[in-house]
Amino acid sequence: MGLSMQILRAADRVPVPWKNGGGVTRDVAAFPEGAGFDGFLWRISMAEVRADGPFSVFPGVDRVLAVLDGRLRLEVAGLAPVEIGPDSPPAIFPGDAPTHGAVLAGPVLDLNVMTRRGRARAHVRRLDGGAVPAGDHLLVALEPARAAGIPLERHDALALEPADGPATLESGRAWLVSLET
């Protein structure tokens, strides 16, 4: 993954226009590092959604979307509509399917995990403290937290590789993003 035990501070993230121009996103991490919208194997970002509208289309990409703040109705072509909020499981959908988001309570802040289909996969789950097995993972703090002995502010991330060994989320809650390449 190339991010061995690295702290990725929310305060350091730079806003980047959405691919479709409808808003801004802030990259958390991508591989290869610095890859653009068309060159990533995987990409993790946070976006603020203030208004209803279409999602950008990403051919050959699978998406996992978790809501950190607000509430969103997601309509993906070929799938049943789903409403997601901070306490919901993440939505999983193809990035090349026409997708529309409707803000039910906002603004919405989402965690967007994208992987190149057939070359990478991601699993995203909420972690309320506890063990993180060795592997390629990214912990995204939902509140001030402590992981592997490192204090994290809200929305900071901690990148872990297999060589880092198992870790522990000692306090706080986080989304755990597990990546397979």
Side-chain angles (χ1 to χ4, degrees), residues 23-76:
V24 295
T25 188
R26 287 173 172 79
D27 286 344
V28 176
F31 184 81
E33 190 172 338
F37 289 127
D38 297 322
F40 65 82
L41 182 60
W42 56 261
R43 179 175 178 262
I44 301 168
S45 61
M46 288 184 185
E48 190 170 298
V49 183
R50 292 187 170 272
D52 300 357
F55 276 46
S56 299
V57 174
F58 288 91
V61 169
D62 290 319
R63 295 177 81 160
V64 181
L65 190 80
V67 170
L68 305 171
D69 296 319
R71 191 149 187 81
L72 183 70
R73 179 180 171 89
L74 199 59
E75 298 174 3
V76 180

Side-chain angles (χ1 to χ4, degrees), residues 84-105:
I84 54 176
D87 296 322
S88 306
I92 302 168
F93 59 100
D96 39 19
T99 302
H100 184 270
V103 176
L104 302 177

